[in-house]
Amino acid sequence: MKPELLATFVGLAMAGMFTMPPALAQASAQPAAPVPAPAASDTPYPGVLQLEVDATDLQHRVLRVRQALPAREGRLALRYPRWLPGTHAPSGDVNLLGGLKIQDAQGRLLPWTRDPADAFAFLVDVPAGGTTLNIEFVHLTPLSERTGRPSMTPAMLGVQWETVLLYPAGHYSRRIAVQPRLRLPPGWQQASALRTPDGRLPQADEHGWVRYAEVNLETLVDAPVFAGRHMKRIELEAAGRDRPVALNIMADEAEQLEASDTQLQAHRQLVQQADRLFGARHFDHYDFLLALSESFGGIGLEHHQSSENAVKTSYFKDWAKAIVDRELLPHEYVHSWNGKFRRPADLWTPTYDAPMQDSLLWVYEGQTQYWGRMLAVRSGLVTAEQERDALAQVAAAFEHRSGRAWRSLQDTTNEPILSEHRAKDWPNWQRTYDYYDEGALVWLDADTLIRERSQGKRSLDDFAKRFFGVAPGRVEPLTYTFEDVVRALNEVQPHDWAGFLRARLDARQAAGAPLDGLARGGWKLAYDEKPSDFFKANEAERKVTNLLYSIGLILREDGTLADVAWDGPAFRAGLAPGMKLVGVNLRAYKPEVLQQAITAARAAGSAPIELLLQEGDRYRIARLDYHGGLRYPKLERLANVPDRLGAILAPR
């Protein structure tokens, strides 16, 4: 509502000429002057938060929330979660909360106001003697990618509990008890790490309600639900296995759930290979939540006893083409050990309003990226050749990452907080979430160095077992610092690991990606005129044409420039992201036309490539003086160097 219209309503109401709508009347009846919410303490909240979420409104795609919360007399701050585990940032979106109404046990409406110092906190005065607060609101799930990640479709939904609750301030999250239940559309099934009070898999009753065991708030937020019309649960281990692991799949259509024995065996081997790597499990049970959909938003998000994963419906159907997707589940599974059990000390927070610090994401995400890739190959989800092609693309990306000249790898760990997952116009120059893949290259460097120094007797596998496999059976997080990482590395192989890591984390240099580990592993980065199958699959997945390693361009399907390498050939010709390429040497643009022109320009004495570009309603011609031909990354074997990379990729 426009401010001037609201002012008119208020003025008419004061004159007795107009009855204000209840929602406006509630908003105008403000409590006393706001006071800061209390600091959180490690004490139990007195009472259990009853939480009901109705997910049956598929037409409007909203979740209707009811809460009942015992509260004592006085000022109470109800918080909406803001700093969220797994995103490492203040990524909670309170804008998706609507229709908030708070009543006492007698049904009387209680006025609320937002904390002026914290828009995620709602302040309410609890009447004398205390009462049960009955809270209602709706969570407006995004209807398109324009407003967020779609999480509710006619066939499936994902419920992240932090989006559908307000919690009382003043207590650690683990000290707030919650009794959750969820109502599903008729005939739908659900999957989650949550269980019934007696430890069984929850099932919907005749009214669609699924009742879960009482848990603390921290456990609840760490246990999202996938639910859908078409679902299948596959146990990845024999019945009776202690701390079992299951794959829960939901899809747009029932036939998309079908997977071959070979495909499922690779997922079973993923679980086996992770056991052999880490040597212990730190969960009571683990549930992969996997959505196959063209309309449910893509996601890969770790939790301690589950993970949220969403890919396209081709995951099983076009197995040979879905190479990138097949590294998703291994990555998120590794996070159960690295990130959820062993957690950086500055990433652990007692509440969802406490700011996080991301200084160790090169371990949390970088080493997880490394182990996720290695386990994908060791399990058979990805072949060794495919992984070498993937590593070639990673190596080439950082060899051409111009932003390394001014911004260190360590500084990129601030990226979740700095950008909050917003797109960038110049990602090659600005840098982005580089602690994932460049971090993985650092850990490959460490792994091959340990193998070289120990004559193959020890490896980073030994670090993984020593660091992540401690305290078998423990589920409670165990935090670590930089010094803890260095100490564990030295216990495996004595070396100046602090200096080794800091040199790679703090360097600012454009030339030379961190490829020592690749070379010590027996391989080197090279370029070819033809792309690998992995490269082509990656282009198809992203719907782009990637010419970054030749003319310095990535183009979308319609010819729009998605990325331009800073100070590369296209940049020097005056090209910038957002422009649209419509013609090449007087021919209409098509990827193959541009590729042919790049190849033809290799000839001696050839003229610059002429590009016709559109910027809004204007056109201009740019001349690209490049004669190096097409260049696609690949790995070549180094003579006289042991194939340590092959040993790393080999199944255990």
Side-chain angles (χ1 to χ4, degrees), residues 141-454:
T141 73
L143 301 180
S144 69
E145 292 182 358
R146 181 182 63 84
T147 54
R149 183 184 66 85
S151 59
M152 194 173 186
T153 78
M156 63 181 65
L157 69 92
V159 179
Q160 295 177 321
W161 296 104
E162 67 270 17
T163 66
V164 291
L165 62 84
L166 294 173
Y167 67 93
H171 301 268
Y172 282 16
S173 302
R174 66 189 181 196
R175 305 307 296 273
I176 301 173
V178 186
Q179 176 67 68
R181 68 175 188 154
L182 172 67
R183 190 182 185 191
L184 299 176
W188 281 34
Q189 302 175 59
Q190 68 84 49
S192 170
L194 297 175
R195 296 294 185 262
T196 62
D198 58 1
R200 292 181 295 111
L201 292 171
Q203 301 291 331
D205 63 19
E206 65 273 19
H207 303 293
W209 285 104
V210 182
R211 292 172 171 80
Y212 304 100
E214 179 184 307
V215 293
N216 66 53
L217 179 59
E218 187 173 87
T219 299
L220 181 69
V221 168
D222 200 39
V225 177
F226 272 18
R229 194 182 307 277
H230 310 293
M231 291 196 74
K232 178 184 287 188
R233 179 180 175 86
I234 301 165
E235 302 293 341
L236 295 179
E237 300 178 290
R241 173 66 163 86
D242 185 38
R243 304 178 186 276
V245 181
L247 175 63
N248 303 274
I249 313 170
M250 65 180 184
D252 290 339
E253 303 294 341
E255 59 267 21
Q256 294 162 352
L257 298 171
E258 298 306 315
S260 70
D261 291 340
T262 300
Q263 292 166 342
L264 293 180
Q265 182 59 21
H267 291 82
R268 294 187 177 97
Q269 289 171 350
L270 167 60
V271 178
Q272 296 169 6
Q273 289 297 321
D275 281 345
R276 292 167 187 169
L277 175 62
F278 298 119
R281 294 184 179 183
H282 299 290
F283 47 77
D284 294 326
H285 47 262
Y286 190 93
D287 285 271
F288 287 106
L289 308 178
L290 176 61
L292 311 179
S293 177
E294 300 302 319
S295 52
F296 188 80
I299 190 173
L301 187 60
E302 68 271 13
H303 301 282
H304 203 140
Q305 301 195 120
S306 64
S307 58
E308 298 173 84
N309 309 276
V311 297
K312 298 300 183 183
T313 54
S314 59
Y315 184 77
F316 290 120
K317 182 177 64 176
D318 296 326
W319 186 252
K321 297 180 182 179
I323 301 169
V324 178
D325 289 343
R326 295 204 300 277
E327 292 186 339
L328 176 60
L329 267 64
H331 179 100
E332 302 306 338
Y333 190 45
V334 169
H335 268 315
S336 183
W337 288 266
N338 183 12
K340 304 307 292 185
F341 169 56
R342 294 307 309 267
R343 191 173 306 177
D346 60 3
L347 262 179
W348 182 89
T349 53
T351 68
Y352 302 112
D353 54 278
M356 298 174 179
Q357 298 179 55
D358 295 344
S359 68
L360 289 167
L361 284 183
W362 51 273
V363 185
Y364 183 118
E365 295 290 5
Q367 195 171 139
T368 295
Q369 187 82 334
Y370 180 71
W371 288 128
R373 289 179 177 277
M374 300 308 111
L375 288 178
V377 181
R378 293 180 188 182
S379 64
L381 286 165
V382 172
T383 68
E385 180 183 4
Q386 289 167 342
E387 183 53 38
R388 288 195 299 270
D389 289 340
L391 282 172
Q393 189 162 338
V394 169
F398 288 102
E399 187 174 66
H400 290 76
R401 183 75 88 237
S402 53
R404 297 182 73 248
W406 72 274
R407 191 175 179 197
S408 69
L409 174 60
Q410 179 66 67
D411 189 61
T412 70
T413 63
N414 295 301
E415 195 65 26
I417 299 170
L418 292 174
S419 70
E420 296 188 32
H421 301 279
R422 292 192 300 270
K424 295 188 175 187
D425 288 326
W426 300 94
N428 187 272
W429 173 244
Q430 293 171 279
R431 302 201 73 173
T432 180
Y433 299 89
D434 291 354
Y435 53 82
Y436 279 87
D437 279 333
E438 187 172 341
L441 290 176
V442 170
W443 289 111
L444 175 62
D445 197 352
D447 197 349
T448 55
L449 180 61
I450 294 171
R451 291 169 184 268
E452 181 184 62
R453 294 288 179 90
S454 68

